[in-house]
């Protein structure tokens, strides 16, 4: 195959160590594997240029995000800050299809010069719903106002997606939303790409419960505090909270834990995180938000033993019988007591492997994406 493809990414997708960049990087990895020649365009902030990307891409271009002054616009800040004249110039040098990663990158989606191009929009969240949820979890008034205003701008800007040939969602629930709103567009659900090519969960037992995520994100920080204050405080088992950049407030919460049974692993590298995920007996996945597909859930399905979730974590996602559901602290504690006395056995491992292969298989999902782009 000698197909070319432009990919516009909202950030530098390596290292692939949080949310959306995981989907972008492993999508690039798989498209390269099947012979697609990728021309990657990255808007970067807070992350360095990544030599690793050159292994998978024909070309890699970096663009700085615009300053905070981009907020003074009718356009959403996450969109207006990601525009650069050199990007359009490079896109116009050929007629290759263009993959827009997230609403963040869609400033050029309706540009007249790109009218006849194949344009694919990759959704990671229904963004205005995501920002509304961020507002609810925020305590500072000025941040609440920003999230509310950004949600309004994002909902208004979303109409630009009518110019996409294909809308590709991460969850079935999100696919239904876009099908109802954009009746003339082709909408397809392709779950997030991820690092796992086969199930590596270990048999037997671990001795702790793991919560992990980007701890600088308010949603994850609030979920961790729920675990510490409402669940760990009433349990005799060991809990590990691991992730990027925990706020001082979360660190204080862990230090004040009633039973001193919570350990913080701050900014673990890939090897440490991988070891924790395999060693844990239970993966505790809790969220206040129902947006998108949580990649931590995907990793737990491939690497973890038992997975304990609330219903919001599974919103719009079919995981069969692979997760145990609880929605209040007393039921979480009860389920933890039950699961910590069970072994993860060969039958459960084989069932998990068969399920994820049928549902969250990178190779199959890559084939689906190729059909959309090049058919």
């Amino acid at each position: 195959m000698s197909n070319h493809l432009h990919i516009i990414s909202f950030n530098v997708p390596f290292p692939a160590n949080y949310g959306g960049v995981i989907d972008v990087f492993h999508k690039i990895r798989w498209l390269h594997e099947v012979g697609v020649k990728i021309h990657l365009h990255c808007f970067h902030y807070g992350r360095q240029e990544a030599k690793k990307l050159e292994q998978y891409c024909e070309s890699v271009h970096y663009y700085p995000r615009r300053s905070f002054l981009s907020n003074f616009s009718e356009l959403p800040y996450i969109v207006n800050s990601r525009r650069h004249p050199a990007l359009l110039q490079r896109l116009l040098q050929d007629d290759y299809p263009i993959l827009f990663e997230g609403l963040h990158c869609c400033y050029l989606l309706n540009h007249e010069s790109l009218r006849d191009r194949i344009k694919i929009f990759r959704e990671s969240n229904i963004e205005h719903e995501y920002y509304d949820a961020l507002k609810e979890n925020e305590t500072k008034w000025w941040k609440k106002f920003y999230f509310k205003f950004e949600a309004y701008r994002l909902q208004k800007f979303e109409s630009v997606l009518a110019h996409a040939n294909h809308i590709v969602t991460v969850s079935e629930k999100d696919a239904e939303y876009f099908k109802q709103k954009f009746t003339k567009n082709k909408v397809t659900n392709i779950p997030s790409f991820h690092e796992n090519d086969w199930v590596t969960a270990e048999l037997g037992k671990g001795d702790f419960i793991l919560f992990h995520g980007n701890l600088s994100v308010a949603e994850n920080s609030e979920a961790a505090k729920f675990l510490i204050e409402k669940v760990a405080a009433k349990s005799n088992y060991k809990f590990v909270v691991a992730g990027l950049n925990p706020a001082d407030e979360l660190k204080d919460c862990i230090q004040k834990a009633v039973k001193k049974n919570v350990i913080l692993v701050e900014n673990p590298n890939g090897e440490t995180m991988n070891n924790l995920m395999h060693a844990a007996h239970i993966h505790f996945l809790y969220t206040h938000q129902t947006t998108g597909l949580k990649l931590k859930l995907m990793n737990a399905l491939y690497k973890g033993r038992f997975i304990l979730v609330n219903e919001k974590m599974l919103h719009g996602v079919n995981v069969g019988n692979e997760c145990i559901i609880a929605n209040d602290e007393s039921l979480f504690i009860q389920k933890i007591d039950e699961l910590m006395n069970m072994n993860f056995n060969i039958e459960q491992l084989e069932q998990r492997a068969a399920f994820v292969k049928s549902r969250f298989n990178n190779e199959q999902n890559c084939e689906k994406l190729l059909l959309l782009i090049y058919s």
Side-chain angles (χ1 to χ4, degrees):
M1 179 186 291
S2 60
N3 296 313
H4 289 257
L5 174 68
H6 289 285
I7 297 179
I8 306 174
S9 178
F10 53 89
N11 204 343
V12 180
F14 189 84
N17 57 359
Y18 79 89
V21 298
I22 295 174
D23 178 43
V24 177
F25 176 74
H26 292 290
K27 189 185 301 113
I28 289 170
R29 178 171 69 89
W30 270 95
L31 289 170
H32 168 77
E33 182 73 18
V34 298
V36 176
K37 298 183 185 302
I38 299 164
H39 304 274
L40 179 63
H41 307 268
C42 308
F43 285 94
H44 68 108
Y45 60 103
R47 289 164 73 89
Q48 301 300 314
E49 296 183 5
K51 191 82 173 173
K52 178 81 170 179
L53 295 170
E54 296 174 16
Q55 293 180 216
Y56 304 101
C57 302
E58 289 289 300
S59 62
V60 182
H61 305 282
Y62 298 92
Y63 309 90
R65 280 187 71 181
R66 290 172 174 252
S67 72
F68 186 74
L69 293 176
S70 297
N71 246 317
F72 299 98
S73 168
E74 292 184 354
L75 290 172
Y77 171 68
I78 65 171
V79 176
N80 198 35
S81 61
R82 288 179 175 87
R83 56 189 182 93
H84 196 284
L87 172 59
L88 180 60
Q89 292 172 11
R90 290 186 174 119
L91 294 176
L92 292 176
Q93 289 175 2
D94 52 63
D95 61 355
Y96 306 146
I98 307 167
L99 175 59
F100 297 80
E101 291 285 357
L103 199 59
H104 318 55
C105 299
C106 288
Y107 177 76
L108 295 174
L109 185 59
N110 63 344
H111 197 283
E112 179 65 21
S113 300
L114 302 175
R115 182 180 57 183
D116 297 326
R117 300 285 281 276
I118 297 297
K119 299 184 287 286
I120 303 95
F121 166 66
R122 172 45 153 179
E123 176 254 8
S124 56
N125 285 300
I126 300 173
E127 292 295 343
H128 65 271
E129 292 183 357
Y130 176 70
Y131 273 78
D132 271 331
L134 289 177
K135 178 196 69 178
E136 295 304 317
N137 287 327
E138 186 51 64
T139 56
K140 296 182 176 65
W141 71 266
W142 60 272
K143 283 191 175 182
K144 275 185 175 289
F145 174 80
Y146 167 73
F147 289 140
K148 182 176 181 180
F149 185 46
E150 188 74 343
Y152 165 76
R153 291 189 292 192
L154 285 162
Q155 187 168 19
K156 184 178 179 182
F157 180 74
E158 192 181 64
S159 61
V160 76
L161 299 182
H163 295 269
N165 300 85
H166 300 284
I167 294 174
V168 182
T169 70
V170 296
S171 75
E172 294 161 355
K173 186 72 175 178
D174 291 357
E176 290 305 312
Y177 168 85
F178 285 107
K179 284 177 182 177
Q180 291 178 18
K181 186 162 185 180
F182 299 98
T183 56
K184 295 181 180 179
N185 297 70
K186 182 174 177 59
V187 179
T188 306
N189 172 225
I190 298 179
S192 296
F193 287 77
H194 51 86
E195 66 183 87
N196 310 284
D197 296 331
W198 54 83
V199 170
T200 57
E202 297 181 359
L203 299 174
K205 293 182 67 175
D207 65 353
F208 65 92
I209 299 97
L210 174 66
F211 176 94
H212 75 279
N214 183 347
L215 300 176
S216 68
V217 175
E219 172 196 1
N220 292 331
S221 184
E222 289 301 312
K225 284 190 279 186
F226 170 84
L227 170 66
I228 296 159
E229 297 172 347
K230 304 296 184 182
V231 180
K234 300 174 184 177
S235 174
N236 294 319
Y237 294 105
K238 181 169 71 174
F239 294 78
V240 174
V241 175
L244 300 174
N245 305 320
D248 289 340
E249 184 181 359
L250 179 58
K251 292 180 184 179
D252 290 342
C253 183
I254 291 172
Q255 289 177 351
K256 295 174 183 176
V258 175
K259 295 192 174 183
K260 306 301 178 186
N261 58 342
V262 183
I263 298 169
L264 174 65
V265 180
E266 188 173 351
N267 297 316
N269 61 28
E271 182 181 0
T272 300
M273 192 70 251
N274 194 56
N275 291 338
L276 285 170
M277 295 189 75
H278 283 103
H281 191 67
I282 300 171
H283 284 249
F284 185 95
L285 304 181
Y286 180 86
T287 183
H288 296 95
Q289 298 181 198
T290 59
T291 52
L293 172 63
K294 305 297 188 292
L295 277 155
K296 67 184 75 174
L297 172 60
M298 192 83 70
N299 278 329
L301 286 166
Y302 274 86
K303 296 179 180 179
R305 294 184 175 103
F306 297 104
I307 306 169
L308 184 58
V309 304
N310 65 332
E311 286 185 16
K312 287 184 177 180
M313 178 61 65
L314 303 181
H315 185 74
V317 182
N318 174 19
V319 294
N321 298 314
E322 297 306 316
C323 296
I324 298 94
I325 299 174
N327 287 308
D328 61 71
E329 56 197 80
S330 60
L331 191 53
F332 275 123
I333 294 165
Q334 177 189 324
K335 293 297 182 183
I336 287 171
D337 288 340
E338 293 173 4
L339 292 170
M340 290 300 289
N341 289 296
M342 295 171 59
N343 281 299
F344 190 71
N345 60 41
I346 188 64
E347 291 80 13
Q348 290 165 317
L349 180 61
E350 290 174 347
Q351 177 181 304
R352 178 78 60 77
F355 177 79
V356 297
K357 183 178 180 181
S358 68
R359 186 73 183 85
F360 301 117
N361 184 295
N362 280 329
E363 184 176 9
Q364 292 177 7
N365 289 330
C366 183
E367 291 174 0
K368 291 179 185 177
L369 185 58
L370 288 174
L371 286 173
L372 293 181
I373 298 171
Y374 298 111
S375 62

